[in-house]
Amino acid sequence: VLEHIKKLGGKFEIASYAELNILRKIGVNPGDVLYSNPVKSLRDIRLAYKAGVRCFAFQSEDELTKFAASQRADDKINAYLRVATSAGKSTVASESKFGQSIVSESDRFQALQLMKLAGDLNLIPHGVAFHVGSQMENPEAWTEPLKNVALFMKILQQNGIHLSMLDIGGGFPAYHAA
């Protein structure tokens, strides 16, 4: 399946270094891979970076500090903030446990401080990502997160932070044959 997706030009995201190794075995360029798990070990960050991954999700200051300790000055990490969404009515409702909230003004201030810290640590504040849950059957589930992200991105721009990526996750309902 992975080889077929690669052949069709698909891109990949991973949640572990072990998944990166699987992709590398079929010839996927690590530079095209997103490391989307917002909590990673320093060891896995360093191994993925050494392999060529440059785009990593974060949700805390601790992750940013690990990124800064892992990158070379001439080859920076693109850090993207995983933002929380409220628990939706997806078939597999688990996504509300991840991410930095940006719902309230104080939440957005905290998130802004994280993005500023990314820049202060010589990382590239690259983007924002969220996920509404797996097998989401309600298309309106993306409406509120997108409104919150749009407001947050406006605040970032007002503070001189211009992002290159918005990842709205997956979770789209799909038929799975038995």
Side-chain angles (χ1 to χ4, degrees):
V1 171
L2 296 175
E3 287 174 341
H4 187 67
I5 292 169
K6 178 184 179 278
K7 180 180 164 186
L8 294 173
K11 302 293 182 186
F12 299 91
E13 70 174 344
I14 58 170
S16 70
Y17 180 69
E19 291 174 2
L20 178 63
N21 282 334
I22 292 168
L23 294 175
R24 290 172 66 195
K25 286 179 184 174
I26 63 167
V28 171
N29 176 1
D32 293 335
V33 175
L34 300 176
Y35 202 142
S36 64
N37 185 341
V39 181
K40 300 161 286 307
S41 72
L42 179 58
R43 175 189 171 274
D44 282 1
I45 292 167
R46 286 183 170 161
L47 289 170
Y49 180 83
K50 184 177 180 183
V53 175
R54 293 297 178 268
C55 203
F56 293 82
F58 72 96
Q59 67 182 22
S60 69
E61 184 176 326
D62 185 50
E63 286 296 290
L64 291 173
T65 303
K66 288 187 268 185
F67 297 166
S70 301
Q71 75 176 357
R72 293 190 324 257
D74 63 335
D75 197 10
K76 296 180 183 180
I77 286 177
N78 293 302
Y80 64 100
L81 180 65
R82 174 74 177 257
V83 297
T85 61
S86 59
K89 293 184 178 170
S90 63
T91 303
V92 184
S94 63
E95 295 307 317
S96 62
K97 68 182 180 180
F98 295 112
Q100 164 66 46
S101 178
I102 57 169
V103 175
S104 72
E105 189 174 332
S106 64
D107 291 339
R108 289 187 295 274
F109 179 78
Q110 282 183 296
L112 171 62
Q113 296 311 305
L114 285 171
M115 294 299 269
K116 285 180 176 180
L117 179 60
D120 291 346
L121 291 172
N122 208 25
L123 304 165
I124 299 170
H126 183 66
V128 174
F130 68 87
H131 194 291
V132 297
S134 296
Q135 294 297 306
M136 177 55 72
E137 296 178 359
N138 177 7
E140 297 299 316
W142 283 267
T143 302
E144 196 63 32
L146 284 169
K147 286 180 182 177
N148 290 332
V149 167
L151 176 58
F152 180 58
M153 290 176 81
K154 184 177 180 179
I155 292 166
L156 289 171
Q157 286 181 345
Q158 290 168 346
N159 283 272
I161 299 171
H162 303 281
L163 304 180
S164 301
M165 181 186 86
L166 171 60
D167 179 351
I168 64 167
F172 313 116
Y175 173 74
H176 295 274

